[in-house]
Amino acid sequence: MSDNLILGIDLGTTNSLAAVMTSGGPEIIRDDRGASLVPSVIAFSEGKVTVGQEARDHAVENPTATVYSVKRLMGKSVEDLTNEMDVLPYDIVPGRHDTVCVNVQGRRMTPQELSAIILRDIKTRAEVVCGSGKEISRAVITVPAYFDDSQRQATRDAGRIAGLEVCRIINEPTAAALAYGLDRNEDACIAVYDLGGGTFDVSILRVSGGVFEVLSTQGDTQLGGDDLDRELINLLTDEIRSEFGEELTFPPATRQALRTFAEATKIRLSTELDATVEVALGGGRVFRRTITRDEFESLATRWVDHTIEHCARALRDAGLGPQDIDQVVMVGGSTRVPLVCSKTKEFFGREPYTAVNPDEIVALGAAVQAGILAGIKRDTLLLDVTPLSLGIETLGGAVGKLIMRNSTVPCQASETFSTYVDGQTSVDIHVLQGERELAKDCRSLGKFQLTGIPPMPAGAPRVQVTFLLDANGILGVSARELRSGKAASVQITPAHGLTRDEVDSMVNESYAHAMEDLNAHRLIDLRNESERILKAIEKSLETAGDVLTPGQRQALDAAVGDLKAKREGEDCDAVYEAMGVANDAAMPLTEAQMDSVLSKTIKGRKMDDV
Ligand code: ADP
Ligand code: MG
């Protein structure tokens, strides 16, 4: 394998897998038993972390320490997830910056960290298979076409955490079409129908000259193969109860067995006309039942019909009819259900493209894209639409990216920032383009100022910066202070003056400097964060310093001194550790202050403000 190996990864809600590009075409990574799919499940028990099938096998017995469907949490806030919280059995808690975390046995883990555990597992498996003991450090990761910027960024961050530089995030439907070689079509409309384990989506793409454009995407994030399993589980439990008594309870081991049987039955019915289930209920009792495909299809029909309704909606959004679709591509394990294929065929009026393994097609496409990036596959055009990322400079010279490279245009992204100094009445907005982590290494596209912000304490103003990239690649930037409504805007043409080679070299540079940049960025973040902590401690000491015992005060002074010293150094881990120590030492102070702040706010607030 060559040094420039880039892994193509399908990071799925239910299953994840990887493929690589070889001289003979894309190849799926399989373990020594030939298995490619790694269930996207992580189990934590007795200090051990397991990923994949083993973790999945124990999900029912160990519900609170088994995390699955992490993809649903990526880039989401608690508010976004109100509907899903009840469905997921593990503990979802609010995280920083309006994100969510999973409470895993008392430890808060971000969805990015959890996804990184899966990605690291995939990476390690691939390293074993590709041999030669070389580390694989780059990847292309696929995401659903409807993923927004924060979900894409979260995916990219997960890659980074797993030690993978994510060269490209591509849309799953695009990857599937790429795997079929549909990028060579001169001008065609493609419908990609993706029915996985817990999600369904359909995307209408237009491909022309190697560029894929997502015309529309529709779907249901709560519809998939799991629903078909559940139909079978319900059927089985109802019949078991009517045969052995209504009061019969199902202990975790039996529930796990039922789930496994239900899925196995469903899978068998994709190729057989009937399948027999046998469940041992203890005490020598055995339940036996043969289910026919007709019976299964009558349970599955309403779910499949829903997917067809979404197809109709997606076509309507794209302004097309079924007759305008040149190709229909089937993706996802659940498209092996014969009823799914026949209904899709009926709706689109054409034979769909079905892969031997529809659950592997997206990873194959990701590997094709990886091959293009690595220069192995030269006969295909690059798919980029926005050649470079767009962002603004944040405190300390770091870059906060708003529009990621290769976003389809037109697109829009916003992010909210705040001030760092009390009473600050204006902010400078420095718009940047490039892949590097530091502002000084990116191309400056322009600066403007948002003025007239009413004086507020540091951190109180909410400055929302919005990037709107129109179909011509023209960037409009606007900023608005949300509390006062103060707004400013500027027009910028980002691609202006950058040649293809310049773009390539900026990208290559970003590869070459990835690690260096990452550390530099992390150091800036840590310094900013420690500055904030030091200021907060100083403030609290003024108002509540007297709650500390002499011993506590001494410990706090020492911790503050140490943090100030470490902050000047270059060692990220040392700064991080010193921050933790200072935070802990300030705890009695924070608690005392929290009480007074809480009572003050409650007293001083009208109900409307809460
Ligand atoms: P995701 O994209 O959500 O990660 P996959 O594409 O891997 O998911 O699809 C997983 C789903 O496919 C599961 O519900 C699984 O039971 C179902 N599946 C896999 N093989 C078959 C089959 N032969 N027949 C029916 N369903 C199948
Ligand atoms: Mg999938």
Side-chain angles (χ1 to χ4, degrees), residues 378-394:
R378 295 187 182 279
D379 57 342
T380 309
L381 283 170
L382 284 176
L383 303 169
D384 8 16
V385 185
T386 311
L388 290 165
S389 305
L390 294 159
I392 66 169
E393 181 172 352
T394 58

Side-chain angles (χ1 to χ4, degrees), residues 96 395 522-538 559-560 562-569 571-572 574-580 582-583:
R96 296 175 57 199
L395 189 68
R522 182 160 176 240
L523 192 62
I524 290 174
D525 284 348
L526 286 168
R527 282 182 179 156
N528 289 339
E529 182 68 9
S530 45
E531 181 67 42
R532 195 191 58 74
I533 292 176
L534 288 168
K535 268 200 183 145
I537 293 178
E538 202 179 302
V560 165
D562 186 50
L563 180 55
K564 281 184 178 159
K566 295 282 163 44
R567 205 182 154 268
E568 300 305 317
D571 184 348
C572 289
V575 184
Y576 184 75
E577 206 168 292
M579 252 162 57
N583 252 336

Side-chain angles (χ1 to χ4, degrees), residues 355-373:
V356 182
N357 294 320
D359 32 24
E360 292 178 350
I361 196 80
V362 168
L364 287 173
V368 172
Q369 176 67 68
I372 297 170
L373 290 172

Side-chain angles (χ1 to χ4, degrees), residues 12-15 196-198 225-226 263 266-267 270 332-334 336-337 359:
T13 312
T14 317
N15 295 302
D226 296 346
E263 189 182 12
K266 170 188 76 176
I267 289 175
S270 291
S334 301
R336 286 206 190 89
V337 172
D359 32 24

Side-chain angles (χ1 to χ4, degrees), residues 532-549:
R532 195 191 58 74
I533 292 176
L534 288 168
K535 268 200 183 145
I537 293 178
E538 202 179 302
K539 233 182 191 166
S540 317
L541 275 174
E542 278 168 24
T543 53
D546 49 346
V547 303
L548 296 180
T549 65

Side-chain angles (χ1 to χ4, degrees), residues 401-423:
K401 289 183 180 152
L402 273 88
I403 292 181
M404 300 306 289
R405 161 167 195 260
N406 194 38
S407 305
T408 357
V409 290
C411 59
Q412 178 175 336
S414 353
E415 214 166 297
T416 311
F417 300 87
S418 195
T419 53
Y420 293 95
V421 180
D422 285 338

Side-chain angles (χ1 to χ4, degrees), residues 12-334:
T13 312
T14 317
N15 295 302
S16 299
L17 69 157
V20 284
M21 192 67 177
T22 69
S23 50
E27 250 172 50
I28 292 285
I29 303 284
R30 297 180 191 282
D31 66 15
D32 44 17
R33 280 171 301 164
S36 59
L37 301 186
V38 177
S40 307
V41 184
I42 312 159
F44 298 85
S45 88
E46 290 149 20
K48 215 175 102 215
V49 182
T50 42
V51 176
Q53 194 55 47
E54 200 188 324
R56 188 174 186 232
D57 289 342
H58 296 286
V60 173
E61 293 154 44
N62 196 14
T64 54
T66 308
V67 184
Y68 58 88
S69 292
V70 181
K71 192 169 175 178
R72 296 185 184 281
L73 312 182
M74 297 286 272
K76 293 286 183 76
S77 67
V78 172
E79 203 176 45
D80 297 331
L81 287 170
T82 30
N83 292 333
E84 321 219 348
M85 300 267 255
D86 318 331
V87 193
L88 299 171
Y90 45 85
D91 187 16
I92 301 171
V93 294
R96 296 175 57 199
H97 311 303
D98 207 17
T99 59
V100 294
C101 280
V102 178
N103 177 4
V104 183
Q105 299 172 325
R107 191 171 151 214
R108 274 164 185 248
M109 297 190 71
T110 61
Q112 289 89 323
E113 287 172 291
L114 291 163
S115 290
I117 296 178
I118 298 169
L119 288 172
R120 202 172 295 121
D121 191 78
I122 299 275
K123 166 174 140 85
T124 313
R125 282 169 203 252
E127 283 164 354
V128 170
V129 172
C130 295
S132 75
K134 272 215 190 89
E135 198 188 338
I136 299 175
S137 58
R138 299 198 283 162
V140 168
I141 304 182
T142 59
V143 296
Y146 58 78
F147 254 31
D148 64 20
D149 196 62
S150 61
Q151 292 169 296
R152 285 166 198 260
Q153 297 222 33
T155 306
R156 198 177 69 133
D157 293 342
R160 284 197 177 173
I161 299 169
L164 287 166
E165 185 215 336
V166 181
C167 313
R168 189 73 63 93
I169 298 275
I170 64 167
N171 291 325
E172 287 162 10
T174 303
L178 207 49
Y180 279 110
L182 298 179
D183 53 310
R184 288 202 217 126
N185 282 357
E186 258 324 295
D187 196 351
C189 287
I190 304 170
V192 182
Y193 176 106
D194 183 348
L195 188 59
T199 58
F200 167 70
D201 47 271
V202 53
S203 307
I204 310 295
L205 309 178
R206 172 174 291 137
V207 53
S208 103
V211 175
F212 287 88
E213 192 186 345
V214 179
L215 298 179
S216 66
T217 165
Q218 275 287 344
D220 186 338
T221 54
Q222 303 289 349
L223 195 173
D226 296 346
D227 295 302
L228 309 182
D229 299 350
R230 202 168 328 105
E231 292 285 349
L232 288 172
I233 294 173
N234 292 343
L235 176 115
L236 293 173
T237 48
D238 286 352
E239 292 191 1
I240 290 174
R241 285 213 167 101
S242 71
E243 190 172 330
F244 294 98
E246 287 300 324
E247 69 294 345
L248 195 72
T249 55
F250 296 95
T254 313
R255 275 192 290 140
Q256 179 71 52
L258 275 173
R259 213 190 76 173
T260 310
F261 288 145
E263 189 182 12
T265 305
K266 170 188 76 176
I267 289 175
R268 224 169 324 140
L269 290 171
S270 291
T271 47
E272 313 286 325
L273 291 175
D274 58 55
T276 303
V277 191
E278 249 183 44
V279 191
L281 295 163
R285 291 175 301 181
V286 175
F287 173 81
R288 228 182 113 88
R289 168 76 149 90
T290 298
I291 297 169
T292 65
R293 187 187 285 176
D294 284 345
E295 224 177 320
F296 171 67
E297 290 190 344
S298 71
L299 296 172
T301 298
R302 69 183 177 107
W303 300 105
V304 184
D305 287 345
H306 280 316
T307 69
I308 300 297
E309 286 157 23
H310 284 294
C311 292
R313 229 169 278 155
L315 281 178
R316 205 178 321 130
D317 291 352
L320 301 173
Q323 71 288 349
D324 299 317
I325 298 298
D326 303 298
Q327 317 280 357
V328 179
V329 173
M330 303 298 271
V331 180
S334 301

